[in-house]
Amino acid sequence: MSDDIFARLKEDHESHRKILDQMAETSGESDERKELLEQFTKEVKSHAAAEEQALYSTMLRKPPTTDMTRHSVAEHHELNELLNDLAAQDMSSSAWMASFKKLDHDYRHHINEEEEDHFPEFEPYLTEEDRQHMRSVFDRRKAEEKDEAKVTPEKMEDAKE
């Protein structure tokens, strides 16, 4: 694992892309689909929480990056709702695959935007102290968050009430 916070985050993103690719190859209510959804959910929820606590809490203190930071955190919330909605659906239905494709598209858009736009924009605002702090917080918090992360089925329409 890299010592650079951005390289570390990209390592996770690459792992998430691979899980999405594997999920896209599954069908029906199979054990493989269930296991991959659980793995992806725990990975993404713990990654996002740790990323917010390490990277985005730091970037919120740097006014030029506040809007990008808020945008990414809002997308984390939306992706969490999509994950919950996907978990609440019948895995053998065509609606599940449609929801999966939306999640897949939105998640890839989010991580590509982080990697291509946000991370390079953040670079000039970070001190070496910021970088060391973010890396230690990210790894520690991700491990703690992963222990707590759960698949939480909740249909999107129920979440809005």
Side-chain angles (χ1 to χ4, degrees), residues 129-143:
E129 184 179 316
D130 288 334
R131 291 171 191 280
Q132 290 175 1
H133 169 76
M134 288 188 301
R135 179 56 203 269
S136 68
V137 168
F138 180 79
D139 285 336
R140 179 177 44 81
R141 291 302 302 155
K142 183 174 179 205

Side-chain angles (χ1 to χ4, degrees), residues 81-142:
E81 286 184 347
L82 288 172
L83 276 169
N84 293 344
D85 186 59
L86 189 62
Q89 295 183 35
D90 175 0
M91 287 186 165
S92 61
S93 73
S94 60
W96 189 93
M97 188 50 80
S99 294
F100 169 76
K101 286 179 180 177
K102 176 165 178 38
L103 170 69
D104 183 43
H105 174 270
D106 290 1
Y107 187 72
R108 289 178 196 266
H109 164 81
H110 171 75
I111 60 179
N112 289 339
E113 184 175 59
E114 284 183 332
E115 292 174 1
E116 295 167 14
D117 299 335
H118 296 187
F119 296 171
E121 296 261 347
F122 293 168
E123 285 275 356
Y125 299 101
L126 295 174
T127 65
E128 189 53 40
E129 184 179 316
D130 288 334
R131 291 171 191 280
Q132 290 175 1
H133 169 76
M134 288 188 301
R135 179 56 203 269
S136 68
V137 168
F138 180 79
D139 285 336
R140 179 177 44 81
R141 291 302 302 155
K142 183 174 179 205

Side-chain angles (χ1 to χ4, degrees), residues 41-57:
T41 299
K42 289 181 177 185
E43 281 290 326
V44 168
K45 285 183 177 184
S46 61
H47 170 92
E51 186 176 58
E52 288 173 15
Q53 293 164 25
L55 175 65
Y56 290 125
S57 68

